Amino acid sequence: MSAPTVDLMDYSDVIARFEPVLGMEVHVELNTATKMFCGCPTEFGAQPNTQVCPVCLGLPGSLPVVNQKAVESAIRIGLALNCTITPWGRFARKNYFYPDQPKNYQISQYDEPIATNGHLDVLLDDGSTFRVEIERAHMEEDTGKSVHIGGATGRIHGASHSLLDYNRAGVPLIEIVTKPITGAGERAPEVARAYVTALRDLLKALGVSDVKMEQGSLRCDANVSLMPIGATEFGTRTETKNVNSLRSVEVAVRFEMRRQAAVLAGGGTIVQETRHFHETDGTTSPGRRKETAEDYRYFPEPDLEPVAPDAEWVEQLRGTIPEYPWLRRARIQSDWGLSHEVMRDLVNAGALDLIIATVDAGAPANEARSWWVAYLTEKAKEREVPLDELPITPAQVAEVIKLVDAKSINNKVAKQVVDYVLAGEGDPAQIVEAKGLGMVSDDSALQAEVEKALAANPDIADKIRSGKVQAAGKIVGDVMKATRGQADAARVRELVLAACV
């Protein structure tokens, strides 16, 4: 269901009259094997309410225990965001009633988050950078999921009833909150997208989350307000909830800027509220009036010990922070001699990390890139899955390339081998041996097939003998067919021409 039609100001007029102020809140589901405060598994897609226990259901008498791996991931995220790691902090109870929160409170961090006062320098489309200041990153648990039945949109409006799945309740979350983002001007929507993009890439590089926005592993809330040019006091903000794609982050911010500007120019006031983003038309619509911190009645969680990470442990974790993905891309782009456009396309296709891993496994960069952006991209489209979900590893692709380079197989057979790998029939070398796909390299056997093909095509043989060497293609094709494509076509051509001298 689309939002009702609203007045919008032309974007150039918005920028001429108002200064946008952004605030990004990103929730990241950690990829720990178990939940934040209990031992229930966190696997995505399980049958509803099969991954629950008394702790994550909030049953009387159950007691939470902190997941150490989640704390480790939170510290690594904080360090990667240039934050200060809090040496001593407590969990708190955030009290509110909502059907997908079985305890009627959420265990979170309030005034003592695990990480504070950081920054992230994000790369914009023109190659410049913009520094986004980080207010805090804190640990908490996710809520369950409401499934609304009977409506046309999957939302509660128009639904006949709702079902609750508590599998997600208690999954470890890190919420990363920026300080107010000012000074972006007309580029504010781009900055919002670039920030979430950089954050997603960084979290993936850290290995702490699969950051799949379509599955809710990374969810973005975009706060937007406007203040007249020259003003010093921030305007009233709205919070567009759970924007689930990078493009949509930019679209949602731009729409809110235009909508709020029209309201303010018309003499109206902005209501502090949450808003829903509509993917179909890029609009937002009102949700609920936004609570303040006082409404949640925070108080210290009495059933959990404070979190006090040892300073030596923190420094050990600092040593695990990888090279920033955008710096790594710049280095690789230079090393491989790629244009900005080619590198952008590799990133957008989700191929770059796969290519790098294939090169790390011993394959030349050009050959690794060719396989992933051509044949394997085609196979991913056929299966309608992301490239990195194809059932073939970079190491296996590198093995195929090595077999071709060693002339154990040719390029045509290599595609067959890849198809067998995708079908789950084993590793490339095993497949080549088991199915007899190795290159026919015995000259005597190839010579026999050449003579047979020439004898069957005497007119073609005469053309070759008369100097029309392009006619050799027909004979080469016949020999390749006879050898099931397992001959070296270049060597076959040499033998054909030699036989016709």
Side-chain angles (χ1 to χ4, degrees), residues 74-98:
I75 293 172
R76 294 181 69 233
I77 290 170
L79 292 171
L81 293 173
N82 304 290
C83 290
T84 298
I85 303 303
T86 304
W88 191 95
R90 295 175 297 179
F91 282 100
R93 289 188 181 182
K94 181 181 180 181
N95 295 274
Y96 65 94
F97 172 77
Y98 203 72

Short mmCIF file of all heavy atoms in Angstrom, two decimals, residues 74-98:
data_model
loop_
_atom_site.label_atom_id
_atom_site.label_comp_id
_atom_site.label_asym_id
_atom_site.label_seq_id
_atom_site.Cartn_x
_atom_site.Cartn_y
_atom_site.Cartn_z
N ALA A 74 31.51 -7.16 19.17
CA ALA A 74 31.17 -5.76 19.46
C ALA A 74 32.44 -4.93 19.64
O ALA A 74 32.53 -3.80 19.15
CB ALA A 74 30.30 -5.68 20.71
N ILE A 75 33.42 -5.48 20.34
CA ILE A 75 34.68 -4.75 20.55
C ILE A 75 35.39 -4.54 19.21
O ILE A 75 35.89 -3.44 18.92
CB ILE A 75 35.58 -5.52 21.53
CG1 ILE A 75 34.94 -5.53 22.93
CG2 ILE A 75 36.98 -4.90 21.59
CD1 ILE A 75 35.65 -6.42 23.92
N ARG A 76 35.43 -5.57 18.38
CA ARG A 76 36.11 -5.45 17.08
C ARG A 76 35.41 -4.41 16.20
O ARG A 76 36.06 -3.64 15.48
CB ARG A 76 36.16 -6.80 16.37
CG ARG A 76 37.04 -7.81 17.10
CD ARG A 76 37.10 -9.15 16.38
NE ARG A 76 37.82 -9.01 15.12
CZ ARG A 76 37.35 -9.40 13.94
NH1 ARG A 76 36.12 -9.91 13.86
NH2 ARG A 76 38.07 -9.28 12.85
N ILE A 77 34.08 -4.38 16.25
CA ILE A 77 33.33 -3.36 15.50
C ILE A 77 33.70 -1.97 16.01
O ILE A 77 33.97 -1.04 15.24
CB ILE A 77 31.82 -3.59 15.60
CG1 ILE A 77 31.43 -4.85 14.83
CG2 ILE A 77 31.04 -2.39 15.08
CD1 ILE A 77 30.00 -5.30 15.07
N GLY A 78 33.71 -1.81 17.33
CA GLY A 78 34.06 -0.51 17.91
C GLY A 78 35.46 -0.07 17.52
O GLY A 78 35.68 1.10 17.16
N LEU A 79 36.41 -0.99 17.55
CA LEU A 79 37.79 -0.65 17.18
C LEU A 79 37.87 -0.26 15.70
O LEU A 79 38.57 0.69 15.34
CB LEU A 79 38.71 -1.83 17.46
CG LEU A 79 38.92 -2.17 18.95
CD1 LEU A 79 39.68 -3.48 19.08
CD2 LEU A 79 39.65 -1.05 19.67
N ALA A 80 37.16 -0.99 14.85
CA ALA A 80 37.19 -0.68 13.42
C ALA A 80 36.57 0.68 13.13
O ALA A 80 36.90 1.32 12.12
CB ALA A 80 36.46 -1.78 12.64
N LEU A 81 35.67 1.13 14.00
CA LEU A 81 35.03 2.43 13.85
C LEU A 81 35.79 3.53 14.62
O LEU A 81 35.26 4.62 14.81
CB LEU A 81 33.58 2.37 14.34
CG LEU A 81 32.65 1.50 13.50
CD1 LEU A 81 31.29 1.37 14.16
CD2 LEU A 81 32.50 2.05 12.09
N ASN A 82 37.01 3.21 15.04
CA ASN A 82 37.87 4.19 15.72
C ASN A 82 37.26 4.68 17.03
O ASN A 82 37.46 5.84 17.43
CB ASN A 82 38.16 5.38 14.79
CG ASN A 82 38.78 4.96 13.48
OD1 ASN A 82 39.92 4.53 13.44
ND2 ASN A 82 38.01 5.06 12.39
N CYS A 83 36.52 3.81 17.69
CA CYS A 83 35.86 4.17 18.94
C CYS A 83 36.76 3.89 20.15
O CYS A 83 37.72 3.11 20.08
CB CYS A 83 34.57 3.37 19.12
SG CYS A 83 33.23 3.81 18.00
N THR A 84 36.39 4.49 21.26
CA THR A 84 36.96 4.14 22.56
C THR A 84 36.16 2.99 23.14
O THR A 84 34.93 3.04 23.16
CB THR A 84 36.91 5.34 23.52
OG1 THR A 84 37.68 6.40 22.97
CG2 THR A 84 37.44 4.96 24.90
N ILE A 85 36.84 1.93 23.58
CA ILE A 85 36.15 0.78 24.16
C ILE A 85 35.96 1.03 25.66
O ILE A 85 36.92 1.32 26.39
CB ILE A 85 36.94 -0.52 23.94
CG1 ILE A 85 37.18 -0.73 22.43
CG2 ILE A 85 36.21 -1.71 24.54
CD1 ILE A 85 35.92 -0.77 21.60
N THR A 86 34.73 0.94 26.11
CA THR A 86 34.39 1.21 27.51
C THR A 86 34.99 0.13 28.41
O THR A 86 34.73 -1.05 28.20
CB THR A 86 32.86 1.25 27.69
OG1 THR A 86 32.31 2.21 26.80
CG2 THR A 86 32.50 1.60 29.13
N PRO A 87 35.78 0.50 29.42
CA PRO A 87 36.43 -0.51 30.27
C PRO A 87 35.48 -1.19 31.25
O PRO A 87 35.80 -2.26 31.78
CB PRO A 87 37.50 0.29 31.00
CG PRO A 87 36.97 1.69 31.03
CD PRO A 87 36.21 1.87 29.74
N TRP A 88 34.33 -0.57 31.46
CA TRP A 88 33.37 -1.15 32.43
C TRP A 88 31.99 -0.63 32.06
O TRP A 88 31.78 0.57 31.94
CB TRP A 88 33.73 -0.71 33.85
CG TRP A 88 33.00 -1.43 34.94
CD1 TRP A 88 33.41 -2.52 35.64
CD2 TRP A 88 31.71 -1.08 35.50
NE1 TRP A 88 32.49 -2.89 36.58
CE2 TRP A 88 31.42 -2.02 36.52
CE3 TRP A 88 30.77 -0.08 35.22
CZ2 TRP A 88 30.25 -1.99 37.25
CZ3 TRP A 88 29.59 -0.06 35.97
CH2 TRP A 88 29.35 -1.00 36.97
N GLY A 89 31.07 -1.54 31.83
CA GLY A 89 29.73 -1.10 31.45
C GLY A 89 28.68 -2.12 31.83
O GLY A 89 28.99 -3.29 32.04
N ARG A 90 27.44 -1.66 31.91
CA ARG A 90 26.34 -2.53 32.33
C ARG A 90 25.31 -2.66 31.22
O ARG A 90 25.17 -1.78 30.36
CB ARG A 90 25.66 -1.96 33.56
CG ARG A 90 26.53 -1.90 34.81
CD ARG A 90 25.80 -1.20 35.95
NE ARG A 90 25.50 0.20 35.63
CZ ARG A 90 24.86 1.03 36.43
NH1 ARG A 90 24.43 0.60 37.61
NH2 ARG A 90 24.63 2.27 36.09
N PHE A 91 24.58 -3.75 31.27
CA PHE A 91 23.38 -3.89 30.46
C PHE A 91 22.22 -3.24 31.21
O PHE A 91 22.26 -3.06 32.43
CB PHE A 91 23.06 -5.36 30.19
CG PHE A 91 23.93 -5.97 29.12
CD1 PHE A 91 25.02 -6.75 29.46
CD2 PHE A 91 23.66 -5.74 27.77
CE1 PHE A 91 25.81 -7.31 28.48
CE2 PHE A 91 24.45 -6.30 26.79
CZ PHE A 91 25.54 -7.09 27.14
N ALA A 92 21.19 -2.88 30.45
CA ALA A 92 20.01 -2.25 31.03
C ALA A 92 18.76 -2.89 30.46
O ALA A 92 18.80 -3.57 29.43
CB ALA A 92 20.01 -0.74 30.74
N ARG A 93 17.66 -2.68 31.14
CA ARG A 93 16.36 -3.13 30.63
C ARG A 93 15.65 -1.94 30.00
O ARG A 93 15.43 -0.92 30.64
CB ARG A 93 15.50 -3.71 31.76
CG ARG A 93 16.00 -5.05 32.26
CD ARG A 93 15.02 -5.68 33.23
NE ARG A 93 15.51 -6.96 33.71
CZ ARG A 93 14.85 -7.78 34.54
NH1 ARG A 93 13.64 -7.41 34.98
NH2 ARG A 93 15.38 -8.92 34.91
N LYS A 94 15.30 -2.12 28.74
CA LYS A 94 14.55 -1.10 28.00
C LYS A 94 13.10 -1.58 27.97
O LYS A 94 12.76 -2.54 27.28
CB LYS A 94 15.14 -0.98 26.57
CG LYS A 94 14.46 0.06 25.70
CD LYS A 94 15.13 0.06 24.31
CE LYS A 94 14.50 1.09 23.39
NZ LYS A 94 15.15 1.08 22.04
N ASN A 95 12.26 -0.91 28.70
CA ASN A 95 10.91 -1.41 28.94
C ASN A 95 9.91 -0.87 27.91
O ASN A 95 9.78 0.34 27.75
CB ASN A 95 10.44 -1.01 30.34
CG ASN A 95 11.28 -1.67 31.42
OD1 ASN A 95 11.02 -2.78 31.84
ND2 ASN A 95 12.31 -0.96 31.88
N TYR A 96 9.25 -1.77 27.24
CA TYR A 96 8.12 -1.40 26.39
C TYR A 96 7.35 -2.64 26.03
O TYR A 96 7.89 -3.75 26.01
CB TYR A 96 8.58 -0.67 25.12
CG TYR A 96 9.42 -1.50 24.17
CD1 TYR A 96 8.83 -2.18 23.10
CD2 TYR A 96 10.79 -1.58 24.31
CE1 TYR A 96 9.59 -2.93 22.22
CE2 TYR A 96 11.56 -2.32 23.44
CZ TYR A 96 10.95 -3.00 22.39
OH TYR A 96 11.70 -3.74 21.52
N PHE A 97 6.07 -2.46 25.78
CA PHE A 97 5.23 -3.59 25.39
C PHE A 97 5.08 -3.63 23.89
O PHE A 97 4.71 -2.64 23.25
CB PHE A 97 3.83 -3.48 26.02
CG PHE A 97 2.89 -4.53 25.49
CD1 PHE A 97 2.98 -5.84 25.93
CD2 PHE A 97 1.97 -4.22 24.50
CE1 PHE A 97 2.15 -6.82 25.41
CE2 PHE A 97 1.13 -5.19 23.97
CZ PHE A 97 1.21 -6.49 24.43
N TYR A 98 5.40 -4.78 23.32
CA TYR A 98 5.15 -5.02 21.91
C TYR A 98 5.07 -6.53 21.74
O TYR A 98 5.84 -7.26 22.38
CB TYR A 98 6.26 -4.41 21.03
CG TYR A 98 5.81 -4.15 19.62
CD1 TYR A 98 4.92 -3.12 19.35
CD2 TYR A 98 6.23 -4.96 18.58
CE1 TYR A 98 4.47 -2.88 18.06
CE2 TYR A 98 5.79 -4.73 17.28
CZ TYR A 98 4.91 -3.69 17.02
OH TYR A 98 4.46 -3.47 15.75
#
